[in-house]
Amino acid sequence: MLLLSVDSSAVTASAALTENGRVIKSELINKGLTHSETLLPLIESVMQGYEYKNLDAIAVTAGPGSFTGVRIGVATVKGLAFPYDIPCISVSALEAIAYNFVEEDAVVCAVMDARRMQFYNALFKAEHGKITRLCADRAVSIEDLRKDIEAYEKVIIAGDGAELCYNNINQNNAVLADGEKRWQNGIGTALAAVDKEKIKAESLMPVYLRLSQAERELKLKKEN
């Protein structure tokens, strides 16, 4: 399967072109939330020499994460898929993070900063070259997350909220992921997309675990 995989759910942006699990080309940039300017050129770079019409599917991290970043990623993929009726695959950004550690023997604590010491989070077990989900994607407090990871021998904290989480969770069994492995990327998105349902572009939607700040403030005003 010729698969284009895209991520713009956090501060980094990434794309990868793979065929039956083999990476043809991948790109990752970390220039902050400038995805409206950088994502499409990134995709065009990995697609160089290949035509969109020949893709078997396009995978994208549809959330959770930055509301703007997720919307840009989903909208970009829908725009690429519509003209050729290319199937799409919705991938959890947290699961994409976990697939950076498929060769480890540890629990991966994928965290994205949801502000006010809250994190978008899911836990995964990396073992024997496989990733197993331990809980659903959720929004969780640092206190509840601390309790959840106490029982595990080794926990790798990764994601755009990893440093903040690690510095405040105070657990001896936790380590901070190094370098680019800390971030979700196109390759992890491609690995997480394996065996997931293919859907039509019109059915692809962002996945938010809670309302945006603007929506929360509006809701509060209405309630008052």
Side-chain angles (χ1 to χ4, degrees):
M1 179 171 71
L2 187 63
L3 177 68
L4 172 65
S5 300
V6 177
D7 169 72
S8 61
S9 58
V11 294
T12 56
S14 181
L17 184 66
T18 60
E19 186 168 25
N20 299 325
R22 177 179 66 88
V23 178
I24 297 171
K25 188 175 182 180
S26 67
E27 298 276 3
L28 183 143
I29 58 173
N30 189 351
K31 293 185 177 180
L33 296 173
T34 59
H35 305 324
S36 60
E37 302 170 1
T38 58
L39 185 59
L40 195 54
L42 202 68
I43 293 170
E44 290 174 346
S45 175
V46 301
M47 285 294 296
Q48 191 170 10
Y50 291 82
E51 296 187 43
Y52 291 102
K53 66 181 181 180
N54 293 328
L55 290 170
D56 293 300
I58 306 176
V60 62
T61 48
S66 156
F67 284 81
T68 301
V70 167
R71 282 196 297 267
I72 290 171
V74 169
T76 300
V77 166
K78 288 168 77 84
L80 295 174
F82 267 126
Y84 305 106
D85 196 25
I86 304 169
C88 297
I89 302 173
S90 177
V91 173
S92 159
L94 298 167
E95 189 171 354
I97 293 168
Y99 271 90
N100 291 341
F101 304 93
V102 68
E103 300 302 327
E104 298 282 349
D105 184 6
V107 167
V108 180
C109 176
V111 286
M112 301 179 73
D113 187 5
R115 310 302 178 193
R116 299 182 180 180
M117 295 308 294
Q118 295 269 328
F119 296 91
Y120 301 126
N121 165 258
L123 301 176
F124 302 85
K125 176 65 176 175
E127 188 176 36
H128 305 311
K130 294 183 178 180
I131 297 293
T132 304
R133 180 182 281 275
L134 300 179
C135 69
D137 291 358
R138 58 191 178 167
V140 64
S141 69
I142 189 73
E143 292 82 8
D144 289 340
L145 187 54
R146 183 182 296 116
K147 294 174 185 176
D148 283 352
I149 70 170
E150 283 178 344
Y152 300 109
E153 183 177 349
K154 179 183 178 183
V155 177
I156 301 172
I157 301 178
D160 83 313
E163 188 170 0
L164 179 64
C165 179
Y166 177 77
N167 289 338
N168 287 276
I169 205 161
N170 300 317
Q171 286 294 121
N172 292 330
N173 61 337
V175 296
L176 182 62
D178 292 329
E180 288 191 356
K181 290 184 71 173
R182 187 181 301 176
W183 311 103
Q184 56 269 56
N185 57 62
I187 297 174
T189 303
L191 292 172
V194 174
D195 296 330
K196 281 189 168 50
E197 180 187 8
K198 295 178 183 178
I199 59 176
K200 287 187 171 294
E202 57 263 31
S203 299
L204 181 66
M205 299 294 291
V207 177
Y208 303 129
L209 294 184
R210 68 181 192 186
L211 298 174
S212 69
Q213 182 177 348
E215 290 170 322
R216 293 197 303 271
E217 291 175 354
L218 180 60
K219 182 180 179 182
L220 186 61
K221 286 180 181 179
K222 289 181 177 178
E223 289 175 349
N224 293 333

